């Protein structure tokens, strides 16, 4: 693949990461604009490299799935870092899931699945923006916080957590 095609993929990945990153930034989330751009561009680059940079030797097929699996593992580590457990429960689940999804978007761009990447980005951005007030409304209507009582449930030893 030529440089222009590779650069185009990376620019598209950056643009798609910026769309979702802007929503996260506006919401004051830890993984905002810059983080999402880096995640999508890095995933796209790893995918492009797995497809284009490793020559086929003899009749052996190219094993691009190994790189894809490592992207998923690495992004899982980033997502785990976004999770915070405190007295009120676990926070950062949406951010962790969004990090995971944006890595998939970057991989889709790197693999040339532009329609899927663009559609997924538009869909998730619309859902994140659109569901924000619904989520706030539901949270206000909840009779008790979702994590209420977690601190007082017996653990496996019969004691208190």
């Amino acid at each position: 693949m030529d440089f222009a095609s590779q650069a185009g993929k990376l620019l598209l990945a950056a643009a798609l990461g910026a769309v979702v990153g802007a929503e996260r930034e506006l919401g004051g989330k830890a993984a905002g604009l810059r983080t999402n751009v880096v995640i999508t561009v890095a995933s796209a680059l790893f995918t492009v490299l797995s497809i284009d940079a490793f020559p086929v030797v003899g009749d052996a097929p190219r094993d691009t799935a190994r790189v894809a699996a490592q992207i998923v593992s690495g992004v899982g580590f980033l997502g785990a870092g976004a999770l915070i457990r405190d007295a009120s429960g676990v926070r950062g689940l949406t951010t962790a899931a969004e990090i995971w999804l944006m890595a998939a978007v970057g991989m889709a761009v790197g693999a040339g699945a532009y329609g899927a990447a663009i559609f997924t980005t538009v869909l998730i951005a619309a859902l994140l923006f659109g569901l924000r007030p619904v989520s706030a409304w539901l949270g206000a209507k909840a009779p008790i916080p979702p994590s209420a009582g977690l601190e007082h449930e017996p653990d496996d030893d019969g004691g208190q957590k």
Side-chain angles (χ1 to χ4, degrees):
M1 180 174 287
D2 64 8
F3 172 75
S5 295
Q6 292 171 336
K9 286 182 176 187
L10 299 177
L11 288 171
L12 177 59
L16 296 176
V19 170
V20 173
E23 185 281 332
R24 306 306 290 162
E25 193 83 31
L26 289 170
K29 304 302 179 187
L33 180 66
R34 295 181 308 159
T35 302
N36 277 278
V37 168
V38 169
I39 289 167
T40 54
V41 171
S43 297
L45 179 59
F46 279 127
T47 303
V48 166
L49 290 174
S50 73
I51 295 168
D52 295 340
F54 304 109
V56 175
V57 178
D59 292 333
R62 192 180 318 245
D63 186 8
T64 58
R66 289 186 300 162
V67 174
Q70 294 307 312
I71 294 169
V72 173
S73 297
V75 167
F77 178 78
L78 289 175
L83 298 174
I84 299 170
R85 186 172 193 280
D86 59 19
S88 66
V90 177
R91 295 181 295 138
L93 289 170
T94 302
T95 299
E98 170 268 322
I99 287 170
W100 181 58
L101 177 68
M102 294 316 293
V105 167
M107 291 170 67
V109 171
Y114 307 121
I118 292 167
F119 178 79
T120 300
T121 300
V122 170
L123 176 65
I124 199 64
L127 289 172
L128 287 171
F129 273 116
L131 292 178
R132 190 181 294 170
V134 174
S135 183
W137 179 78
L138 289 172
K141 296 288 184 190
I144 54 176
S147 62
L150 287 180
E151 300 305 313
H152 303 291
E153 291 178 358
D155 59 20
D156 292 340
D157 299 324
Q160 297 292 317
K161 289 184 181 177

